[in-house]
């Protein structure tokens, strides 16, 4: 769809990728319904967007904790009122660390926020989207949604789940006006990545993208309608090869597992493969 025809419900709008995506969509002519939990952050963002040239009628926001059914209901009503025809599921939580060390409560939150939330929000929005001449649902996944790395077991589980959801729903809705898409960024420089992840990434010799790069890719995906896209090289290639030869990648990522173990005791080694990414 042309961005200028898009009325976008954007979750995760107050995050690093979300803020950059809001700016990129605004420049491309879209109208926005920004969603995050902090009223203050959303208000400030909408001020900045209007100061940068967007008319106030093109930038709306609603504070909502997407894990709360009542907040989701309010959001669905507001999306209908504003006639949103695009949903970008950007809200997400990170999880990094040796699997045995992850607290059960964190595991539940990550699976809920990264998988259950977009699934249930999509289900709540879908009846109205299906009545529109054209609608798009964009799931912000991850390269780790197609390639599991040591230290990212639970995060990968959530993003693999989101990929499966997007693929199956896209096929289920193939003869409707609703298109379902998945974008898999690699590591992106936002607050999402704790210092331990940054150290892991440095030790595994890989590079990170800017949120602006990811935002432009999201606008491009919206415009060209591509079903699924992974960002960055060599990650784009690695996710495909990983699907074909997982056992070979098991050997490659032994070094990453060694780094994970060593990062929890004081004699780290530096794995050399360039394939680790989000
Ligand atoms: N950064 C990366 O390296 C990277 C790489 C690949 C994919 N991704 C994916 O890209 C997306 C955005 O990441 P980011 O880097 O922009 O992260 P971020 O800066 O940490 O932002 C996360 C966003 O999610 C929102 N959120 C979290 N829990 C929520 C909840 N219960 N209800 C409503 N909103 C909630 C946050 O809202 P509040 O402001 O209210 O907390 C914030 O807007 C995520 O899905 C992430 O998995 C990130």
């Amino acid at each position: 769809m042309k961005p200028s025809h898009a009325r976008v419900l954007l979750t995760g709008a107050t995050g690093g990728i979300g803020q950059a995506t809001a700016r990129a969509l605004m420049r491309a002519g879209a109208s926005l319904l920004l969603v995050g939990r902090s009223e203050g952050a959303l208000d400030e963002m909408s001020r900045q967007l209007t100061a940068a040239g967007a008319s106030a009628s093109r930038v709306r926001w609603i504070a909502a904790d997407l894990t709360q059914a009542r907040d989701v209901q309010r959001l669905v009503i507001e999306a209908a009122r504003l006639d949103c025809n695009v949903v970008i599921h950007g809200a997400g939580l990170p999880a990094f660390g040796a699997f045995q060390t992850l607290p059960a409560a964190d595991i539940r939150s990550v699976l809920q926020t990264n998988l259950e939330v977009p699934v249930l929000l999509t289900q709540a929005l879908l009846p109205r989207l299906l009545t529109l001449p054209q609608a798009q649902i964009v799931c912000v996944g991850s390269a780790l949604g197609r390639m599991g790395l040591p230290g990212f077991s639970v995060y990968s589980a959530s993003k693999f789940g989101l990929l499966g959801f997007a693929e199956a729903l896209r096929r289920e809705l193939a003869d409707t006006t609703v298109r379902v898409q998945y974008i898999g960024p690699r590591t992106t420089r936002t607050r999402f990545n704790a210092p331990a992840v940054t150290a892991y990434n440095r030790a595994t010799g890989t590079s990170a993208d800017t949120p602006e790069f990811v935002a432009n890719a999201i606008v491009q995906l919206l415009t060209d309608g591509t079903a699924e896209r992974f960002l960055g090289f060599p990650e784009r290639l690695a996710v495909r090869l990983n699907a074909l030869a997982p056992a070979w990648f098991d050997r490659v990522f032994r070094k990453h597992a060694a780094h994970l173990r060593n990062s929890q005791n004081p004699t780290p080694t530096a794995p050399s493969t360039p394939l680790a990414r989000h």
Side-chain angles (χ1 to χ4, degrees), residues 11-19 35-38 41 64-68 89-94 113-114 117 140-144 155 158-159 162 183-193 197 201 208-209 211 214 277-278:
T11 77
T14 50
I17 291 174
Q19 290 191 33
V35 187
R37 283 172 298 188
S38 159
D65 180 340
L66 296 170
T67 64
Q68 301 302 311
H89 293 295
L93 290 180
T113 306
N114 296 0
V117 157
V140 181
S142 167
L144 293 179
Y155 182 73
S158 70
K159 295 295 184 175
L162 189 61
I183 189 159
R186 61 178 181 178
T187 290
T188 309
R189 288 185 212 103
T190 72
R191 68 177 181 197
F192 195 77
N193 295 305
V197 178
N201 290 336
D209 288 322
V214 177
R277 278 304 81 212
H278 272 213

